Amino acid sequence: MARNAGRHFLQIPGPTNVPERVLRAIDFPTMDHRGPEFATLGKAVLAGMKRVFKSTHGEVVIYPASGTGAWEAALVNTLSPGDRVLMAETGHFASLWQKMAARLGLEVQFLPGDWRHGADPQAIEKELRADAAKRIKAVCVVHNETSTGVVSRIPEVRKAIDAAKHPALFMVDTISSLASIDYRHDEWGVDVTVAGSQKGLMLPPGLSFNCVSQKALGAGKSASLPRSYWAWDEMLANGRSGYFPYTPATNLLYGLREALTMLLDEEGLDAVFARHQRHAEATRRAVRAWGLEVLAADPREYSGSLTAVLLPSGHDADKVRKTILEAFDMSLGTGLGKLAGKVFRIGHLGDFNDLSLMGTLAGVEMGLALAGVPVKKEGVQAAMAYLAESHAQPRRAAA
């Protein structure tokens, strides 16, 4: 096999590129997960994750699992067989969460969507007001839909639940938004937040998270869905002293500690969010300059983590991705579910800077041309002009 010089550009919306510092931290010798040194590590990462979730009142649980595991944990710890859950169809991953709920024996009320908009707060409020018997036990929403690049407006959904005066739990998937897009577990009244390690947290896959409100913990006392590995009670009891009830992913926790230092103590979350928004806006300007369309239809719901690009009718997005991979050794996200072949997704999250973005957009622009998609060769220039201007503004303000 021929060798490709230089680094592979991994521009899918997760797993993301892992910083060298995090890789080196993961490479530390494995420690005794029952020893005193591990307790220090365990307490540090649990406290750090509470800061990432922006929660002072919630409890954090860390599982050795993908984000799908955290989905299941959210459901089985709070609900009972036959309970009704209200879910919003915002894309492929919202649909997968809905299928999981059905397989677990829950009754799913699925609000249809067009995959170009986030969850509709008004539609959720209407369904909750109509539920006079209060059969709906949870409202489940994906914050940033990874398949579409659309962000649901979580504070507005919370207001809709409150306006309906409904007691349902509020569960939110932040797998591709946590540590990339502003998120506030306590302030937004979320009961269970779901997250994974391989996106904004800049780690390989293998860790998943729940942040749990006191209300959700109370619901768990009467919930009767089967749970053992996913049970919160033993995880939380052991976590108070920094330990796990079973063998944790020790070396990934080393990496998490290093990533939290980078995100929280060195760059700062507000700066992280601003960086992601700059790169997202630059990418959208490139897409429009090419003459193509951003899949997200509402500017209020644009994603800071990724941009899904809709191709003109008659052009195959997978052919574009294949062309770019073969010509430039760059991976872009595929279209999932009913978007297969219609969109490709540019990930711009995690350990990512301006030069990485410009290289990505240059590869996309050249790949589109090679694949025969009729585009204007102005996307890179439009993105570069925006990035240059956004760099100049704070310097002018400081002067």
Side-chain angles (χ1 to χ4, degrees), residues 288-303:
R288 296 189 186 104
W290 291 326
L292 299 177
E293 189 176 357
V294 174
L295 182 68
D298 186 339
R300 297 174 300 171
E301 298 175 340
Y302 286 157
S303 171

Side-chain angles (χ1 to χ4, degrees), residues 205-227:
L207 295 178
S208 65
F209 310 87
N210 283 163
C211 187
V212 187
S213 74
Q214 295 303 310
K215 179 180 176 181
L217 289 174
K221 294 177 181 178
S222 59
S224 60
L225 278 173
R227 56 192 184 273

Side-chain angles (χ1 to χ4, degrees), residues 68 71-72 75-76 95-108 225-226:
T68 305
W71 275 354
E72 183 162 337
L75 297 172
V76 300
S95 298
L96 290 180
W97 200 6
Q98 172 260 328
K99 289 178 182 177
M100 173 187 281
R103 286 173 179 166
L104 290 172
L106 299 170
E107 181 184 329
V108 181
L225 278 173

Side-chain angles (χ1 to χ4, degrees), residues 128-156:
L128 293 176
R129 287 185 181 276
D131 180 32
K134 303 297 186 284
R135 288 196 58 209
I136 295 171
K137 302 303 181 183
V139 176
C140 303
V141 174
V142 175
H143 183 210
N144 184 79
E145 175 55 67
T146 318
S147 66
T148 65
V150 175
V151 175
S152 287
R153 304 188 302 277
I154 300 303
E156 294 184 32

Side-chain angles (χ1 to χ4, degrees), residues 116-132:
R116 301 195 67 176
H117 294 83
D120 183 345
Q122 292 182 331
I124 290 172
E125 181 179 342
K126 180 180 178 181
E127 295 297 326
L128 293 176
R129 287 185 181 276
D131 180 32

